[in-house]
């Protein structure tokens, strides 16, 4: 254990808490800035039904999975649901980094909303509902490995189809499907593959039939460096013409691609897509779309080539009226009957991990055994996490530890492939405030290492972490909620497997035995 002299700790006072919105895309006076959501809503897809827009995104190992967001104007969004609370497979009761739901698509057909997604090793899934904010009925359509990024399409004659790819391979594969979307009717046919022109093709999204053409959109060229293409044919089976319709161009928005094209009530077209921003994940942009010679042109086409580049800001979509500013939820006072929709676990949720009723206005996290490699959080399904919501922000939480055995600890974590956390931990001699760090560069099966610590007699502490625009961060703690002291050094946030870094809270024991300790968290406040 490394004990830091108090003289070396930096004393600071944090600003008063508020419900500040840390990233707002709506600039007012009819304009917006990109990204519209500075958070990791990877592989977004969007659909409009009437005056309402719904967006879904990948979740990978995080559960509940596939967030459903709602907007009235494509700029202001709020989380309203998840497609599933947990994946119906035993393996997802433990963290499965890089697995889980990849690149969902959302469509509306005959009064029902459909979401299709694949997991890379478990198959093709479909969920449907008549109310996106209500219950989604989940089906496993096909038990198969190696598929990715499916999208359904119902033709004007009622025939249903499913388009998807193969993990890492790139062909576009089309199947006939039963009208109810629950069964594939054939083995599929490759309708497009050209690895020289369109390498690493994925993220397939069928569009509505237009002027006698079938269209689908797909990104190519890789997550961080690619572009967006569109494909069209008079026959659904091809041959398909292809065109690049969005590139990075002269902008700093790398790899602008993979998303959904949508038409507004007033006939405008728009494209929602992601940008890979390392520790911040795949953040969400909105681009205007203009049709030219039967092809969509996305963003600002300054040279007239037909391939636009991302616009940093633009006028808001014309949806017939103005709507108030909304952002995806962040802070949580834990005073409701259910967890806020911003929260996800690293595995299928377990009711034995927490309680919102044990202490009014707080969440109780139980000291879940995480015996793997001395409490390595990579193996802890019971981490309660949420996405980074802005380039720079601050998180503060207050906790009270009720430990029954040495080693039990609770605290605040910045989670990724490399991670750190600050915690209050019970030792044989008393409590300890400590910072732990785990890095991939060490032994494969290693425990997180204590890098800073100090003994304390308290059982109630306030923890804070402040993330800077470059992803660097530092921890502070307080014994009275007023004066904060920095502990440890500066760290660098790292992404997880296909996801951005996350911030959250936890309570665990590195023991095999459930020691039945717990910690009560009073709040989780996100501020500028």
């Amino acid at each position: 254990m490394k004990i830091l002299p108090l003289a070396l700790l930096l004393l600071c006072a944090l600003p008063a808490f508020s419900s500040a919105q840390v990233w707002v895309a709506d600039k007012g006076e009819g304009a917006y800035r990109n990204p519209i959501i500075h958070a990791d809503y990877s592989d977004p897809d969007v659909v409009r039904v009437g005056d309402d827009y719904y967006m879904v995104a990948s979740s990978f190992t995080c559960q509940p999975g596939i967030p459903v967001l709602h907007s009235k104007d494509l700029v202001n969004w709020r989380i309203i649901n998840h497609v599933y609370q947990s994946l119906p497979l035993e393996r997802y009761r433990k963290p499965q980094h890089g697995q889980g739901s990849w690149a969902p698509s959302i469509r509306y057909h005959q009064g029902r909303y459909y979401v299709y997604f694949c997991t890379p090793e478990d198959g093709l899934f479909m969920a449907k509902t008549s109310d996106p904010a209500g219950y989604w009925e989940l089906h496993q359509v096909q038990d198969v490995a190696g598929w990715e990024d499916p999208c359904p399409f119902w033709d004007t004659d009622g025939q249903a189809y499913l388009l998807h790819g193969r993990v890492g391979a790139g062909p576009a594969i089309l199947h006939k499907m039963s009208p109810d979307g629950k069964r594939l009717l054939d083995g599929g046919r490759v309708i497009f593959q050209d690895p020289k022109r369109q390498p690493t093709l994925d993220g397939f999204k069928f569009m509505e039939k237009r002027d006698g053409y079938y269209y689908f959109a797909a990104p190519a060229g890789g997550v961080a460096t690619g572009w967006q293409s569109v494909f069209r044919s008079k026959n659904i089976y091809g041959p398909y013409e292809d065109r690049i319709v969005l590139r990075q161009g002269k902008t700093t928005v790398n790899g602008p691609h993979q998303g959904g094209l949508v038409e507004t009530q007033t006939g405008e077209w728009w494209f929602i897509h992601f940008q890979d921003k390392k520790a911040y994940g795949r953040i969400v942009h909105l681009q205007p779309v203009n049709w030219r010679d039967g092809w969509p042109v996305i963003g600002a086409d300054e040279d007239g080539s037909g391939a636009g580049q991302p616009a940093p800001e633009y006028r808001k979509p014309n949806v017939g009226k103005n709507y108030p500013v909304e952002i995806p939820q962040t802070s949580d006072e834990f005073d409701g009957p259910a967890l806020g929709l911003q929260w996800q676990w690293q595995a299928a949720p377990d009711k034995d991990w927490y309680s919102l009723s044990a202490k009014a206005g707080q969440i109780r996290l139980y000291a879940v055994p995480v015996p793997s490699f001395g409490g390595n959080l990579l193996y802890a399904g019971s981490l309660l996490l949420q996405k980074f919501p802005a380039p720079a922000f601050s998180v503060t939480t207050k906790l009270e530890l009720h430990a029954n055995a040495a080693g039990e600890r609770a605290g605040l974590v910045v989670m990724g492939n490399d991670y750190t956390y600050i915690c209050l931990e019970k030792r044989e001699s008393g409590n300890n405030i400590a910072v732990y760090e785990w890095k991939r560069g060490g032994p494969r099966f290693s425990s997180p290492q204590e890098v800073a610590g100090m003994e304390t007699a308290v059982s109630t502490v306030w923890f804070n972490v402040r993330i800077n625009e470059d992803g660097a961060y530092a921890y502070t703690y307080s014994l009275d909620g007023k004066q904060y002291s920095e502990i440890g050094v500066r760290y660098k946030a790292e992404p997880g497997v296909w996801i951005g870094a996350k911030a959250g809270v936890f309570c665990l024991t590195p023991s095999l035995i459930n020691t039945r300790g717990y910690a009560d968290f009073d709040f989780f406040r996100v501020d500028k």
Side-chain angles (χ1 to χ4, degrees):
M1 178 182 70
K2 181 180 179 182
I3 299 178
L4 297 183
L6 289 177
L8 296 181
L9 298 176
L10 174 64
L11 291 176
C12 58
L14 291 180
F17 295 121
S18 70
S19 57
Q21 296 170 320
V22 291
W23 181 266
V24 177
D26 195 327
K27 298 182 65 176
E29 298 183 352
Y32 74 94
R33 64 171 174 168
N34 274 313
I36 54 169
I37 305 176
H38 201 295
D40 184 29
Y41 288 93
S42 177
D43 314 319
D45 192 24
V46 62
V47 68
R48 177 182 66 85
V49 178
D51 294 332
D52 296 287
Y53 296 85
Y54 299 97
M55 180 167 62
V56 294
S58 299
S59 285
F60 303 100
T61 190
C62 304
Q63 299 176 74
I66 306 188
V68 182
L69 292 88
H70 172 260
S71 177
K72 284 288 192 178
D73 61 7
L74 290 170
V75 172
N76 295 286
W77 293 89
R78 192 157 185 85
I79 315 166
I80 61 167
N81 203 358
H82 289 87
V83 169
Y84 58 85
Q85 288 301 302
S86 59
L87 284 168
L89 299 168
E90 183 67 22
R91 66 182 293 194
Y92 290 99
R93 293 175 62 84
K94 295 181 179 180
Q96 302 292 322
H97 299 290
Q99 298 294 315
S101 54
W102 286 25
S105 60
I106 183 169
R107 292 293 181 269
Y108 181 77
H109 177 65
Q110 294 185 347
R112 290 188 177 273
Y113 299 82
Y114 292 82
V115 166
Y116 281 77
F117 65 95
C118 287
T119 75
E121 295 179 359
D122 311 299
L124 170 68
F125 293 82
M126 178 269 282
K128 65 179 180 178
T129 186
S130 58
D131 177 11
Y135 172 71
W136 288 79
E137 181 183 322
L138 183 63
H139 302 269
Q140 186 175 21
V141 178
Q142 194 78 24
D143 182 1
V144 64
W147 288 14
E148 67 176 1
D149 307 358
C151 184
F153 175 74
W154 284 267
D155 207 344
T156 52
D157 62 359
Q159 178 61 59
Y161 297 88
L162 185 88
L163 182 65
H164 71 88
R166 293 197 190 107
V167 175
I173 303 168
L174 185 68
H175 300 258
K176 283 188 175 181
M177 190 167 59
S178 61
D180 62 4
K182 292 183 178 181
R183 292 180 297 112
L184 301 182
L185 302 180
D186 58 30
R189 185 189 303 182
V190 173
I191 62 171
F192 186 90
Q193 185 173 23
D194 190 337
K196 290 185 177 180
R197 285 176 51 83
Q198 302 285 2
T200 322
L201 199 64
D202 59 6
F204 303 99
K205 299 291 185 291
F206 256 122
M207 299 162 54
E208 292 183 8
K209 204 169 178 181
R210 181 183 173 95
D211 298 330
Y213 281 98
Y214 295 92
Y215 288 87
F216 70 87
V223 169
T225 57
W227 55 86
Q228 182 66 36
S229 295
V230 167
F231 306 76
R232 74 174 190 180
S233 173
K234 290 284 189 178
N235 187 308
I236 196 167
Y237 287 103
Y240 277 85
E241 307 171 77
D242 63 297
R243 181 173 293 188
I244 296 173
V245 294
L246 177 68
R247 289 185 182 273
Q248 178 175 346
K250 299 177 182 179
T251 75
T252 60
V253 182
N254 59 296
H257 65 195
Q258 185 155 164
L261 284 150
V262 65
E263 184 179 14
T264 70
Q265 309 91 305
T266 60
E268 294 181 349
W269 281 81
W270 295 83
F271 182 58
I272 281 182
H273 67 93
F274 74 68
Q275 171 199 3
D276 181 71
K277 201 174 176 183
K278 298 182 179 178
Y280 296 92
R282 301 175 187 180
I283 62 176
V284 185
H285 291 244
L286 175 67
Q287 305 297 338
V289 178
N290 291 290
W291 285 84
R292 185 190 308 159
D293 301 325
W295 293 94
V297 180
I298 300 175
D301 183 17
E302 295 180 349
D303 60 5
S305 66
Q309 66 181 29
E313 56 185 48
Y314 204 74
R315 64 166 178 82
K316 290 171 64 177
N318 179 7
V319 294
K321 60 183 293 188
N322 293 320
Y323 290 94
V325 170
E326 282 194 302
I327 63 169
Q329 301 89 309
T330 54
S331 297
D332 200 337
E333 296 295 317
F334 303 122
D335 53 5
L339 276 170
L341 294 172
Q342 64 271 37
W343 293 109
Q344 293 176 299
W345 308 89
Q346 278 199 140
D350 188 323
K351 62 181 177 58
D352 292 331
W353 289 346
Y354 73 104
S355 172
L356 286 164
S357 60
K359 189 172 183 180
Q362 301 191 24
I363 185 171
R364 176 164 295 176
L365 296 183
Y366 296 102
V368 176
V370 184
S372 299
F373 317 115
N376 192 326
L377 298 188
L378 290 176
Y379 305 94
S382 57
L383 293 190
L384 185 59
L385 302 170
Q386 61 175 266
K387 308 172 192 299
F388 276 23
F393 63 98
S394 173
V395 170
T396 306
T397 190
K398 176 187 175 184
L399 71 89
E400 184 176 6
L401 180 64
H402 298 263
N404 291 329
E408 291 182 14
R409 64 194 69 164
L412 179 64
V413 59
V414 175
M415 191 66 194
N417 286 329
D418 294 350
Y419 67 83
T420 65
Y421 62 82
I422 184 171
C423 69
L424 184 62
E425 178 183 13
K426 181 177 175 61
R427 301 283 178 90
E428 294 291 352
S429 58
N431 286 346
N432 199 63
I433 293 173
V435 176
Y436 282 82
E437 182 177 29
W438 189 86
K439 285 184 172 291
R440 288 164 294 176
R444 181 182 177 191
F445 301 118
S446 62
S447 303
Q449 299 299 304
E450 183 180 345
V451 293
M454 58 169 287
E455 295 177 353
T456 181
V458 304
S459 59
T460 299
V461 291
W462 289 254
F463 289 143
N464 170 271
V465 63
R466 188 175 298 277
I467 311 291
N468 298 323
E469 289 201 5
D470 60 356
Y473 64 92
Y475 290 110
T476 59
Y477 71 92
S478 175
L479 305 182
D480 60 6
K482 298 176 182 178
Q483 292 296 319
Y484 283 77
S485 303
E486 187 169 316
I487 183 170
V489 296
R490 301 299 168 99
Y491 307 97
K492 187 81 171 190
E494 294 289 337
V497 182
W498 304 122
I499 62 177
K502 289 177 179 282
V505 292
F506 69 93
C507 184
L508 66 83
T509 175
S511 170
L512 283 166
I513 300 170
N514 188 343
T515 49
R516 301 189 182 280
Y518 62 88
D520 291 327
F521 289 81
D522 195 1
F523 51 77
F524 186 93
R525 291 172 179 162
V526 180
D527 212 333
K528 292 182 178 179

